[in-house]
Amino acid sequence: MNGRVNSGLIAATAILTMSVAASAQTVTDDIVKIGVLTDMSGQFSHESGAGAVTAIKMAVEDFGGKVLGKPIEVIVADHQNKPDTASALARKWYDVEKVDMIGNLINSSIALTVSGLAKDKNRIAIINGSGSSRLTGDACTPNSIHYSYDTYALARGTGAALAKEGKKSWYFLTADYAFGHALEADTSAVVKALGGEVVGSTRYPPESFDQSSYLLQAQSSKAQVVALAGSGNVLVNSIKSAQEFGIQQRQTLAGLLVWETDIKALGLSAAQGLVLTNAFYWDRDDETRAWSKRFFDRIKVMPHMGDAGDYSSTMHYLRAVEAAGTDEAQAVMKKMREMPINDFFAKNGRIRDDGRMVHDMYVYEVKKPSEAKGDWDFYKLREVIPGDQAFRPIKDSACPLVKKG
């Protein structure tokens, strides 16, 4: 009798265990769906667009195309740099298309909008294209991760490097949207903390391609540094115009966010001497060179930190889904925070409670044409900034998710 009871209990326990295991390994709609919401056609398309799509698809392929035995699907949309368009697309993806994670999200206004939606819908947003430090500050969410870089890290690198050289007076040309505002504010704080001063600033519409009048104001300010707090095609045009006006002969031009694709568009003759901060460079070591060659073979462009971050963060997301045994957002986010990141992009990277992925950053100087050994040979390393120094200390975070004291 006792044997039959014990056998029954063992069988019941086994069934219950299998049932719990089966319920734990759940994938909604039998598919893990990733959306790439990016700029495919506008002024930031060379910083995201096809590169972001390629990187994320490479990660899915390298993962094996399935997770927890279910297929992984990638869908793509062009947000056209319009927050309303991005919001409508993200809402449809989360509600109707059942997208689990939206990636890239270049343009800080759009990243702020979509990360808020991710929180409301309990889905995930991973930002690699955008830089506003507000994304892990007052606008942080439990459902979003800021992965590659932010305006604080750019300021900490480029701003500090030039201020330490004795470049104490600064004038800002700032793109009039969330990213530009955050970049000017974070860099100004670094400059002032190191004994410098901001002698003036001008804000321009993000789509304003003619920077002539703004550059002449900066030139007349006689500031030691003319800081370009913007990006995209406008930044490229600004640097070309600055060269035509001879600004670099008497003032230092600082591109606070410069991508390899910007240098390619400018050419080394125009870009030489620029000091910039970056999270990734294709020619940094054997691992970065190996992955970058694979990327280049696909689209004939070398990857930048946004591309590398899109790949790395997608792989980390898929590994977290596998470890969690589900694609449920909070379970996956928990695993993403617990698991370290060790790949060609970052060593011992970690995701904090405010959503900031902490990793080393690098200060580079653009080579002279005579120093380049070949195509895409753009940078020489000036400084490595350890992750715990590169990003805003967690104790200073304005993120409401961070426990104080």
Side-chain angles (χ1 to χ4, degrees):
M1 182 75 172
N2 287 340
R4 285 198 297 272
V5 171
N6 289 338
S7 297
L9 284 172
I10 291 169
T13 301
I15 292 169
L16 179 60
T17 301
M18 287 187 292
S19 175
V20 169
S23 63
Q25 291 199 0
T26 56
V27 172
T28 52
D29 305 307
D30 289 327
I31 191 167
V32 172
K33 193 173 287 191
I34 296 171
V36 188
L37 191 54
T38 187
D39 178 2
M40 295 296 296
S41 56
Q43 69 155 310
F44 304 124
S45 58
H46 70 289
E47 303 167 357
S48 53
V53 176
T54 298
I56 288 174
K57 286 186 174 180
M58 281 177 66
V60 171
E61 290 170 18
D62 289 350
F63 198 80
K66 289 185 177 182
V67 61
L68 300 176
K70 304 299 181 181
I72 306 163
E73 181 182 350
V74 177
I75 61 175
V76 179
D78 185 352
H79 58 49
Q80 302 171 49
N81 292 304
K82 298 175 181 176
D84 289 347
T85 298
S87 178
L89 285 166
R91 195 178 297 275
K92 180 185 177 185
W93 277 3
Y94 284 145
D95 288 344
V96 180
E97 302 286 341
K98 305 303 180 185
V99 167
D100 297 288
M101 184 271 277
I102 296 178
N104 189 256
L105 294 170
I106 198 162
N107 188 317
S108 289
S109 300
I110 284 164
L112 289 161
T113 298
V114 175
S115 61
L117 275 174
K119 176 185 176 183
D120 294 342
K121 305 296 182 181
N122 193 34
R123 302 298 171 86
I124 292 174
I126 302 180
I127 300 115
N128 276 293
S130 302
S132 174
S133 58
R134 283 194 60 211
L135 287 159
T136 53
D138 66 300
C140 73
T141 84
N143 294 68
S144 54
I145 296 168
H146 204 182
Y147 204 82
S148 288
Y149 74 101
D150 64 21
T151 52
Y152 182 94
L154 297 179
R156 167 69 181 81
T158 307
L162 292 175
K164 288 174 182 176
E165 286 182 1
K167 306 290 174 52
K168 298 295 188 180
S169 60
W170 289 59
Y171 190 100
F172 286 87
L173 292 184
T174 302
D176 195 10
Y177 73 118
F179 167 73
H181 300 170
L183 190 49
E184 179 184 340
D186 285 336
T187 308
S188 295
V190 168
V191 169
K192 291 174 183 176
L194 293 172
E197 62 173 335
V198 176
V199 300
S201 66
T202 299
R203 290 186 173 179
Y204 61 84
E207 299 292 341
S208 175
F209 285 92
D210 184 1
Q211 301 288 296
S212 300
S213 62
Y214 308 128
L215 285 164
L216 289 172
Q217 292 177 48
Q219 190 175 41
S220 65
S221 74
K222 294 183 171 46
Q224 291 173 295
V225 179
V226 176
L228 304 176
S231 63
N233 294 334
V234 174
L235 174 76
V236 172
N237 290 340
S238 297
I239 295 173
K240 288 180 178 178
S241 296
Q243 187 182 43
E244 292 172 6
F245 295 153
I247 287 178
Q248 286 130 305
Q249 295 174 12
R250 296 187 178 182
Q251 295 165 292
T252 297
L253 198 65
L256 298 179
L257 174 59
V258 179
W259 307 81
E260 283 87 331
T261 44
D262 296 329
I263 305 301
K264 182 67 173 176
L266 285 163
L268 289 181
S269 293
Q272 62 182 308
L274 274 175
V275 175
L276 56 96
T277 302
N278 219 313
F280 171 86
Y281 180 42
W282 73 268
D283 200 21
R284 191 174 73 214
D285 55 40
D286 289 343
E287 281 187 280
T288 60
R289 283 187 285 272
W291 183 83
S292 298
K293 183 181 184 303
R294 292 177 54 217
F295 181 94
F296 182 86
D297 287 345
R298 294 192 177 213
I299 62 172
K300 306 308 177 188
V301 173
M302 278 299 181
H304 50 54
M305 64 178 170
D307 302 322
D310 279 326
Y311 178 98
S312 175
S313 60
T314 301
M315 287 292 284
H316 190 62
Y317 167 75
L318 292 172
R319 288 173 180 142
V321 171
E322 187 174 61
T326 177
D327 61 353
E328 193 279 321
Q330 291 310 312
V332 175
M333 288 292 296
K334 183 174 184 292
K335 287 296 180 182
M336 290 184 81
R337 294 189 195 96
E338 289 175 355
M339 297 164 59
I341 296 147
N342 283 293
D343 59 15
F344 70 91
F345 178 79
K347 301 301 180 190
N348 300 313
R350 58 188 176 84
I351 297 169
R352 303 189 311 200
D353 290 344
D354 60 355
R356 175 70 259 161
M357 202 282 263
V358 176
H359 53 84
D360 293 350
M361 294 289 288
Y362 306 85
V363 180
Y364 292 105
E365 182 178 329
V366 177
K367 291 181 175 181
K368 299 174 182 176
S370 60
E371 295 174 314
K373 296 178 181 178
D375 202 15
W376 297 95
D377 181 16
F378 294 155
Y379 300 154
K380 50 188 177 184
L381 182 65
R382 289 180 51 144
E383 181 184 358
V384 178
I385 307 175
D388 59 357
Q389 298 174 28
F391 295 96
R392 192 185 311 277
I394 193 74
K395 66 181 179 61
D396 297 333
S397 176
C399 173
L401 301 173
V402 175
K403 296 177 181 178
K404 300 296 183 181

